mmCIF file of all heavy atoms in Angstrom:
data_model
loop_
_atom_site.group_PDB
_atom_site.id
_atom_site.type_symbol
_atom_site.label_atom_id
_atom_site.label_comp_id
_atom_site.label_asym_id
_atom_site.label_seq_id
_atom_site.Cartn_x
_atom_site.Cartn_y
_atom_site.Cartn_z
ATOM 1 N N SER A 25 -1.445 -10.118 2.872
ATOM 2 C CA SER A 25 -2.592 -9.283 3.221
ATOM 3 C C SER A 25 -2.962 -8.324 2.114
ATOM 4 O O SER A 25 -4.106 -7.905 2.015
ATOM 5 C CB SER A 25 -2.273 -8.456 4.473
ATOM 6 O OG SER A 25 -2.139 -9.279 5.585
ATOM 7 N N ARG A 27 -3.033 -7.375 -1.965
ATOM 8 C CA ARG A 27 -3.047 -8.009 -3.287
ATOM 9 C C ARG A 27 -2.981 -6.948 -4.372
ATOM 10 O O ARG A 27 -3.412 -5.808 -4.173
ATOM 11 C CB ARG A 27 -4.311 -8.831 -3.464
ATOM 12 C CG ARG A 27 -4.418 -9.973 -2.480
ATOM 13 C CD ARG A 27 -5.659 -10.778 -2.713
ATOM 14 N NE ARG A 27 -5.823 -11.776 -1.658
ATOM 15 C CZ ARG A 27 -6.934 -12.434 -1.446
ATOM 16 N NH1 ARG A 27 -7.992 -12.219 -2.206
ATOM 17 N NH2 ARG A 27 -7.011 -13.314 -0.478
ATOM 18 N N ASP A 30 -5.707 -4.086 -5.038
ATOM 19 C CA ASP A 30 -6.306 -3.523 -3.827
ATOM 20 C C ASP A 30 -6.177 -2.003 -3.886
ATOM 21 O O ASP A 30 -5.236 -1.462 -4.463
ATOM 22 C CB ASP A 30 -5.592 -4.018 -2.561
ATOM 23 C CG ASP A 30 -5.973 -5.431 -2.167
ATOM 24 O OD1 ASP A 30 -6.895 -6.012 -2.769
ATOM 25 O OD2 ASP A 30 -5.322 -5.972 -1.241
ATOM 26 N N VAL A 31 -7.116 -1.319 -3.259
ATOM 27 C CA VAL A 31 -7.049 0.138 -3.158
ATOM 28 C C VAL A 31 -6.786 0.487 -1.697
ATOM 29 O O VAL A 31 -7.576 0.132 -0.815
ATOM 30 C CB VAL A 31 -8.354 0.802 -3.647
ATOM 31 C CG1 VAL A 31 -8.253 2.322 -3.523
ATOM 32 C CG2 VAL A 31 -8.644 0.402 -5.082
ATOM 33 N N VAL A 32 -5.656 1.145 -1.443
ATOM 34 C CA VAL A 32 -5.301 1.574 -0.093
ATOM 35 C C VAL A 32 -6.086 2.851 0.195
ATOM 36 O O VAL A 32 -5.927 3.850 -0.508
ATOM 37 C CB VAL A 32 -3.788 1.820 0.039
ATOM 38 C CG1 VAL A 32 -3.445 2.258 1.459
ATOM 39 C CG2 VAL A 32 -2.998 0.572 -0.343
ATOM 40 N N VAL A 33 -6.941 2.804 1.213
ATOM 41 C CA VAL A 33 -7.757 3.970 1.553
ATOM 42 C C VAL A 33 -7.297 4.646 2.839
ATOM 43 O O VAL A 33 -7.544 5.837 3.041
ATOM 44 C CB VAL A 33 -9.264 3.631 1.616
ATOM 45 C CG1 VAL A 33 -9.781 3.257 0.230
ATOM 46 C CG2 VAL A 33 -9.554 2.532 2.615
ATOM 47 N N THR A 34 -6.619 3.895 3.713
ATOM 48 C CA THR A 34 -6.027 4.482 4.915
ATOM 49 C C THR A 34 -4.675 3.835 5.195
ATOM 50 O O THR A 34 -4.464 2.658 4.900
ATOM 51 C CB THR A 34 -6.922 4.312 6.166
ATOM 52 O OG1 THR A 34 -7.156 2.917 6.400
ATOM 53 C CG2 THR A 34 -8.234 5.051 6.028
ATOM 54 N N ARG A 41 -7.714 8.719 0.564
ATOM 55 C CA ARG A 41 -8.684 9.323 -0.362
ATOM 56 C C ARG A 41 -8.651 10.841 -0.253
ATOM 57 O O ARG A 41 -8.622 11.552 -1.254
ATOM 58 C CB ARG A 41 -10.086 8.795 -0.090
ATOM 59 C CG ARG A 41 -10.229 7.301 -0.375
ATOM 60 C CD ARG A 41 -11.454 6.755 0.254
ATOM 61 N NE ARG A 41 -11.284 6.814 1.708
ATOM 62 C CZ ARG A 41 -12.005 6.157 2.576
ATOM 63 N NH1 ARG A 41 -12.989 5.394 2.160
ATOM 64 N NH2 ARG A 41 -11.788 6.248 3.858
ATOM 65 N N LEU A 74 -3.259 -0.813 7.516
ATOM 66 C CA LEU A 74 -3.783 -0.442 6.209
ATOM 67 C C LEU A 74 -5.276 -0.704 6.137
ATOM 68 O O LEU A 74 -5.755 -1.745 6.585
ATOM 69 C CB LEU A 74 -3.102 -1.247 5.102
ATOM 70 C CG LEU A 74 -1.591 -1.124 4.967
ATOM 71 C CD1 LEU A 74 -1.102 -2.002 3.818
ATOM 72 C CD2 LEU A 74 -1.181 0.311 4.750
ATOM 73 N N GLY A 75 -6.000 0.234 5.546
ATOM 74 C CA GLY A 75 -7.395 0.025 5.189
ATOM 75 C C GLY A 75 -7.424 -0.222 3.693
ATOM 76 O O GLY A 75 -6.920 0.584 2.915
ATOM 77 N N LEU A 76 -7.963 -1.363 3.280
ATOM 78 C CA LEU A 76 -7.948 -1.767 1.876
ATOM 79 C C LEU A 76 -9.356 -2.016 1.363
ATOM 80 O O LEU A 76 -10.192 -2.591 2.059
ATOM 81 C CB LEU A 76 -7.143 -3.067 1.701
ATOM 82 C CG LEU A 76 -5.708 -3.073 2.194
ATOM 83 C CD1 LEU A 76 -5.161 -4.490 2.187
ATOM 84 C CD2 LEU A 76 -4.853 -2.163 1.340
ATOM 85 N N VAL A 77 -9.593 -1.587 0.128
ATOM 86 C CA VAL A 77 -10.830 -1.931 -0.561
ATOM 87 C C VAL A 77 -10.441 -2.950 -1.624
ATOM 88 O O VAL A 77 -9.496 -2.732 -2.382
ATOM 89 C CB VAL A 77 -11.488 -0.684 -1.204
ATOM 90 C CG1 VAL A 77 -12.658 -1.081 -2.074
ATOM 91 C CG2 VAL A 77 -11.917 0.294 -0.121
ATOM 92 N N ARG A 78 -11.133 -4.070 -1.628
ATOM 93 C CA ARG A 78 -10.824 -5.158 -2.553
ATOM 94 C C ARG A 78 -12.065 -5.487 -3.366
ATOM 95 O O ARG A 78 -13.171 -5.580 -2.822
ATOM 96 C CB ARG A 78 -10.359 -6.384 -1.776
ATOM 97 C CG ARG A 78 -9.944 -7.550 -2.641
ATOM 98 C CD ARG A 78 -9.300 -8.647 -1.818
ATOM 99 N NE ARG A 78 -8.020 -8.173 -1.300
ATOM 100 C CZ ARG A 78 -7.427 -8.676 -0.215
ATOM 101 N NH1 ARG A 78 -7.987 -9.656 0.457
ATOM 102 N NH2 ARG A 78 -6.268 -8.191 0.193
ATOM 103 N N LYS A 79 -11.874 -5.673 -4.654
ATOM 104 C CA LYS A 79 -12.976 -6.028 -5.536
ATOM 105 C C LYS A 79 -13.655 -7.296 -5.017
ATOM 106 O O LYS A 79 -12.994 -8.272 -4.678
ATOM 107 C CB LYS A 79 -12.450 -6.245 -6.957
ATOM 108 C CG LYS A 79 -13.526 -6.460 -7.980
ATOM 109 C CD LYS A 79 -12.954 -6.557 -9.379
ATOM 110 C CE LYS A 79 -14.057 -6.732 -10.383
ATOM 111 N NZ LYS A 79 -13.559 -6.734 -11.751
ATOM 112 N N GLY A 80 -14.979 -7.247 -4.941
ATOM 113 C CA GLY A 80 -15.749 -8.406 -4.507
ATOM 114 C C GLY A 80 -15.936 -8.495 -3.002
ATOM 115 O O GLY A 80 -16.615 -9.391 -2.516
ATOM 116 N N VAL A 81 -15.324 -7.573 -2.235
ATOM 117 C CA VAL A 81 -15.479 -7.563 -0.778
ATOM 118 C C VAL A 81 -16.261 -6.310 -0.410
ATOM 119 O O VAL A 81 -15.871 -5.199 -0.786
ATOM 120 C CB VAL A 81 -14.109 -7.586 -0.067
ATOM 121 C CG1 VAL A 81 -14.281 -7.523 1.441
ATOM 122 C CG2 VAL A 81 -13.311 -8.824 -0.474
ATOM 123 N N ALA A 82 -17.356 -6.484 0.317
ATOM 124 C CA ALA A 82 -18.279 -5.377 0.581
ATOM 125 C C ALA A 82 -17.715 -4.310 1.515
ATOM 126 O O ALA A 82 -17.975 -3.132 1.335
ATOM 127 C CB ALA A 82 -19.590 -5.929 1.146
ATOM 128 N N SER A 83 -16.938 -4.707 2.506
ATOM 129 C CA SER A 83 -16.467 -3.732 3.493
ATOM 130 C C SER A 83 -14.953 -3.550 3.392
ATOM 131 O O SER A 83 -14.242 -4.373 2.813
ATOM 132 C CB SER A 83 -16.846 -4.178 4.908
ATOM 133 O OG SER A 83 -16.268 -5.428 5.196
ATOM 134 N N THR A 84 -14.475 -2.469 3.989
ATOM 135 C CA THR A 84 -13.040 -2.179 4.014
ATOM 136 C C THR A 84 -12.329 -3.232 4.856
ATOM 137 O O THR A 84 -12.772 -3.565 5.960
ATOM 138 C CB THR A 84 -12.790 -0.775 4.600
ATOM 139 O OG1 THR A 84 -13.459 0.179 3.786
ATOM 140 C CG2 THR A 84 -11.312 -0.456 4.652
ATOM 141 N N LEU A 85 -11.231 -3.760 4.329
ATOM 142 C CA LEU A 85 -10.402 -4.722 5.055
ATOM 143 C C LEU A 85 -9.363 -3.951 5.849
ATOM 144 O O LEU A 85 -8.712 -3.044 5.315
ATOM 145 C CB LEU A 85 -9.697 -5.662 4.078
ATOM 146 C CG LEU A 85 -10.581 -6.470 3.145
ATOM 147 C CD1 LEU A 85 -9.747 -7.141 2.071
ATOM 148 C CD2 LEU A 85 -11.357 -7.501 3.939
ATOM 149 N N ASN A 86 -9.190 -4.284 7.113
ATOM 150 C CA ASN A 86 -8.168 -3.654 7.946
ATOM 151 C C ASN A 86 -7.067 -4.674 8.191
ATOM 152 O O ASN A 86 -7.312 -5.731 8.760
ATOM 153 C CB ASN A 86 -8.777 -3.161 9.256
ATOM 154 C CG ASN A 86 -9.774 -2.059 9.009
ATOM 155 O OD1 ASN A 86 -9.423 -1.015 8.472
ATOM 156 N ND2 ASN A 86 -11.031 -2.270 9.367
ATOM 157 N N LYS A 87 -5.873 -4.336 7.719
ATOM 158 C CA LYS A 87 -4.741 -5.262 7.806
ATOM 159 C C LYS A 87 -3.587 -4.618 8.543
ATOM 160 O O LYS A 87 -3.237 -3.465 8.289
ATOM 161 C CB LYS A 87 -4.267 -5.666 6.402
ATOM 162 C CG LYS A 87 -5.339 -6.300 5.535
ATOM 163 C CD LYS A 87 -5.711 -7.669 6.031
ATOM 164 C CE LYS A 87 -6.697 -8.341 5.101
ATOM 165 N NZ LYS A 87 -7.001 -9.687 5.489
#
Side-chain angles (χ1 to χ4, degrees):
S25 293
R27 297 182 187 166
D30 283 352
V31 180
V32 180
V33 294
T34 59
R41 295 164 293 196
L74 301 180
L76 304 169
V77 172
R78 183 171 292 156
K79 187 175 182 176
V81 178
S83 60
T84 300
L85 302 169
N86 295 300
K87 303 290 185 176

